[in-house]
Amino acid sequence: MISLRYAAILMFFSLLAQPVLAQNKKDVLSSVEALEPTAWENAQQIWEWAEPGYKEEKSSKLLADWLEAEGFTIQHGVGEIPTAFTATIGEGKPVIAILGEYDALPGLAQNAVPYQDQPNEKYYGHGCGHHLFGVASASAAISLAKQIQAGHIKGTLRYYGCPAEEGGSAKVFLVRAGLFDDVDLALHWHPSSRNAAGDRSSLARIAVKFRFHGTSSHAAAAPDQGRSALDAVELTNFGTQLLREHVPDGTRIHYVITSGGDAPNIVPNFAEVYYYVRHPSSDVVRDIYERVVKCAEAGALATETRLEIRNEGGIVEIMPNNALSEVTRRNLKELNNLKYTDEDIKFAIKLQETMSAPRSLDSIQIVVNTRGETGQGSTDVGDVSWVVPTTGFNAACWVPGTPGHSWQAVACGNTPIAKYGMTLAARTLAATAYDLFHSPEIVQQANEELQRRLGERKYKPLVAPDQLPPLNYRDRTSSPK
């Protein structure tokens, strides 16, 4: 009898609290919308700066200063990374992390026009929309902070300023530094040409630069005295082409030659090739990487050059979490209000003329369920997801059909189309975090799911224990003097 009466009392107070919780959640969403002008101004500024990985001094400072002005406590230079920071507000459990990124990509400078038009004296561009990523995450965090300050949310909210996602593996070093040890769950999102959510995984990846040192000589008068570093690169690449036939399905191996010599009549004494090795399983990536290294060693042996291996970081696959992803997917569906104006449609149609696989503009009104899928990209969010229950989603910030890492994505990034998607992402993040702050049972389910998926496996990063963050990995390669 007592237990039944107690249960009835709990249900009564729960019913009384529901309208208050609903109103507070509406207030969070209203705060996001009120912040949109400032958020868009900040996103445009970061788009204009377009700073590469580990060099995002201005972008990082802008976001940290914005959060600090709203009451967050800032820790700069975390994880021995100058452009990484955390911004924390509140106290106690749960501790919810919101991730933000802000690095740009090389070779993608572009004006916000529907045709290819590289600006003068610019090289980097936001081809992955990280100027939107970092700002939307900060906007959501600030809106939630107002509820924490008002006493409507109990717990700790922490924004993670994450540099160098594009190949720099910064989050790996943040995890290694213990910066997620007290976190109960982590949320992230990513710009895209569609809206999507679900417990999707990703590809694990190792990045490496093979640098060959040979002997220069006159290519016509004394070729026998030269030992070509470029030949070593070409043999390495030929070896990996043959290797492609003998690797597991789902493997991706790609490279660029970042330095190949200075003049055709000089035997190159230095050459460098930059590789990515990917697969849905980090264990498989480890094995394939060792085989690619053998191709480089063979290239050096055959050309009598010296091989230098420069590891640029590795990231594991995302560990999905359905308990969290269902909350995110529900909020994304409920909040999706994307709609283009006539001017947006004109821009979109013109831009789609440059695409090989454009999609219907109406597709922005749909939320794709990606449950059980493995995405074909890689992200250092994967390393976070092995130590903290993590979920993310995509918001349509680009014209449907726009490929990521393209000039078209950069062009969209400074248009109203990007602003709409950025605001939808901020609202979805804020709503999801709000729900989770008030749902301890889901937080528990998410942590139990993580342990169940891990089983006997332990988190093993794809970087060496003594490897430092590759702070200069975006430097343009030149021959050593």
Side-chain angles (χ1 to χ4, degrees), residues 408-428:
Q408 292 97 330
V410 183
C412 289
N414 197 25
T415 69
I417 289 170
K419 180 175 69 172
Y420 308 149
M422 179 191 73
T423 302
L424 172 60
R427 294 170 74 228
T428 302

Side-chain angles (χ1 to χ4, degrees), residues 251-292:
T251 300
R252 295 287 186 273
I253 304 173
H254 25 267
Y255 60 81
V256 291
I257 298 174
T258 50
S259 180
D262 298 309
N265 62 341
I266 303 172
V267 174
N269 70 338
F270 175 78
E272 180 186 84
V273 60
Y274 190 5
Y275 267 82
Y276 277 8
V277 180
R278 309 191 204 228
H279 189 271
S281 167
S282 50
D283 289 336
V284 174
V285 166
R286 285 186 180 90
D287 293 340
I288 297 170
Y289 169 72
E290 293 301 328
R291 298 172 71 187
V292 172

Side-chain angles (χ1 to χ4, degrees), residues 221-233:
D224 57 303
Q225 296 179 39
R227 298 295 181 267
S228 174
L230 179 59
D231 287 351
V233 164

Side-chain angles (χ1 to χ4, degrees), residues 391-411:
T391 194
F393 63 93
N394 295 121
C397 299
W398 310 324
V399 173
T402 301
H405 294 201
S406 67
W407 69 262
Q408 292 97 330
V410 183

Side-chain angles (χ1 to χ4, degrees), residues 6-243:
Y6 181 66
I9 293 171
L10 286 178
M11 182 175 293
F12 173 74
F13 281 107
S14 175
L15 291 172
L16 283 179
Q18 285 178 8
V20 175
L21 292 176
Q23 182 57 52
N24 289 343
K25 186 174 180 179
K26 288 180 181 178
D27 291 343
V28 170
L29 298 176
S30 296
S31 294
V32 172
E33 291 162 6
L35 283 169
E36 185 185 64
T38 300
W40 182 233
E41 182 180 341
N42 289 340
Q44 288 179 299
Q45 181 62 81
I46 294 173
W47 183 90
E48 184 66 33
W49 285 331
E51 297 172 293
Y54 292 127
K55 308 292 184 183
E56 316 97 331
E57 288 90 354
K58 291 183 287 188
S59 302
S60 173
K61 184 178 186 304
L62 183 153
L63 291 167
D65 288 351
W66 186 24
L67 289 157
E68 186 172 33
E70 295 290 346
F72 286 78
T73 300
I74 309 297
Q75 281 191 293
H76 294 281
V78 295
E80 300 183 51
I81 301 171
T83 55
F85 69 92
T86 60
T88 305
I89 197 165
E91 59 183 7
K93 291 286 190 176
V95 179
I96 294 181
I98 296 181
L99 310 181
E101 300 170 6
Y102 33 84
D103 59 319
L105 285 159
L108 288 178
Q110 166 69 28
N111 286 316
V113 292
Y115 52 87
Q116 196 160 9
D117 181 39
Q118 181 173 341
N120 292 330
E121 299 181 359
K122 280 196 171 185
Y123 179 64
Y124 292 92
H126 274 287
C128 218
H130 291 178
H131 65 300
L132 306 169
F133 188 161
V135 167
S137 294
S139 183
I142 291 168
S143 299
L144 291 161
K146 296 181 187 301
Q147 293 289 308
I148 292 174
Q149 291 162 332
H152 301 317
I153 290 178
K154 304 298 183 184
T156 303
L157 177 67
R158 187 176 301 136
Y159 177 100
Y160 284 77
C162 305
E165 187 275 336
E166 297 290 355
S169 310
K171 295 184 192 67
V172 181
F173 302 103
L174 300 184
V175 170
R176 189 176 70 182
L179 292 168
F180 289 89
D181 287 355
D182 65 339
V183 175
D184 292 292
L185 56 91
L187 305 176
H188 69 104
W189 77 286
H190 204 286
S192 178
S193 63
R194 66 175 188 171
N195 305 301
D199 60 346
R200 185 170 65 161
S201 187
S202 61
L203 300 181
R205 189 218 71 216
I206 288 179
V208 61
K209 290 179 179 178
F210 297 125
R211 299 162 62 90
F212 296 92
H213 302 267
T215 304
S216 60
S217 69
H218 195 294
D224 57 303
Q225 296 179 39
R227 298 295 181 267
S228 174
L230 179 59
D231 287 351
V233 164
E234 293 190 293
L235 282 172
T236 300
N237 295 344
F238 181 67
T240 57
Q241 301 303 335
L242 298 178
L243 180 63

